[in-house]
Amino acid sequence: MSIVGTAIKPFNATAYYQGKFVDVSEADVAGKWGVFFFYPADFTFVCPTELEDLADKYGELQGLGVEVYSVSTDTHFSHKAWHDSSPAIGKINYYMLGDQNHTISNNFGILREGVGLADRGTFVVDPDGTIQLVEITPEGVGRNAEELVRKIKAAKYWREHPGQVCPAKWEEGEATLAPSIDLVGKI
């Protein structure tokens, strides 16, 4: 069953965010674009490369009206310790949610059964709280924040321009398509 097109479920969590512990719920996501960026665990190997890559794109994402929530089943205390001890993770200015009770990971269907860790998954949520994009990769394959930004721009364009769709490799400013019977078999 696809999770795309479904609403995010209620959750409450504590996050490490810009030097403080803050509470976050689904209500905080409402009305804006959000990225839920799940990863297996703090103090690991592929995870810091992905989180640093995302940190490098955070300003651009904020400029697009997108908030970022990284999520692992570690605690917010572990997130702070990792942030304070790793130069790569120290770059992070977005929310680092602790999901030690597995509510958020279960809500998104990303918790590894019997292991207690989240899979490596990205979920883009629109301002209505509807999941629009999903990417899940195996533990040994890192994601690309630049491609995530491209996909978010396409999703935002599609939402703001009914009747238009973004073809493969679409970049902002390029031509889109208006699906019609006249295009069938011509592309």
Side-chain angles (χ1 to χ4, degrees):
M1 180 172 123
S2 177
I3 194 168
V4 172
T6 65
I8 61 170
K9 296 177 183 176
F11 70 89
N12 288 294
T14 302
Y16 180 69
Y17 178 67
Q18 299 183 358
K20 299 178 183 172
F21 294 132
V22 297
D23 293 328
V24 178
S25 74
E26 77 286 350
D28 296 305
V29 182
K32 58 188 162 201
W33 287 86
V35 171
F36 286 83
F37 198 82
F38 290 86
Y39 62 98
D42 291 351
F43 299 100
T44 55
F45 313 102
V46 175
C47 300
T49 66
E50 292 184 307
L51 295 169
E52 180 181 25
D53 184 39
L54 190 57
D56 291 342
K57 292 291 186 184
Y58 184 55
E60 184 175 356
L61 288 166
Q62 284 193 306
L64 293 169
V66 179
E67 189 52 75
V68 175
Y69 306 91
S70 65
V71 186
S72 77
T73 58
D74 300 290
T75 67
H76 53 287
F77 300 114
S78 180
H79 293 335
K80 181 190 182 315
W82 198 24
H83 190 274
D84 291 351
S85 64
S86 166
I89 301 307
K91 292 180 172 183
I92 294 174
N93 288 313
Y94 50 79
Y95 293 87
M96 298 180 75
L97 287 114
D99 187 32
Q100 64 272 17
N101 64 9
H102 305 164
T103 299
I104 307 168
S105 300
N106 276 318
N107 284 356
F108 283 86
I110 199 81
L111 187 68
R112 246 185 264 163
E113 195 71 33
V115 179
L117 299 175
D119 276 328
R120 199 174 299 291
T122 307
F123 299 81
V124 176
V125 178
D126 72 16
D128 298 323
T130 302
I131 298 168
Q132 293 297 338
L133 298 169
V134 176
E135 177 184 20
I136 300 173
T137 64
E139 189 167 339
V141 178
R143 294 160 281 181
N144 182 327
E146 188 172 327
E147 175 62 5
L148 174 61
V149 170
R150 186 198 71 79
K151 289 177 185 177
I152 290 170
K153 288 178 180 179
K156 287 180 60 115
Y157 184 92
W158 177 63
R159 178 183 168 98
E160 295 164 5
H161 299 87
Q164 296 290 310
V165 295
C166 301
K169 298 183 184 180
W170 179 85
E171 294 286 343
E172 190 172 34
E174 291 182 355
T176 57
L177 301 172
S180 72
I181 196 159
D182 296 334
L183 288 180
V184 175
K186 294 184 180 177
I187 297 176

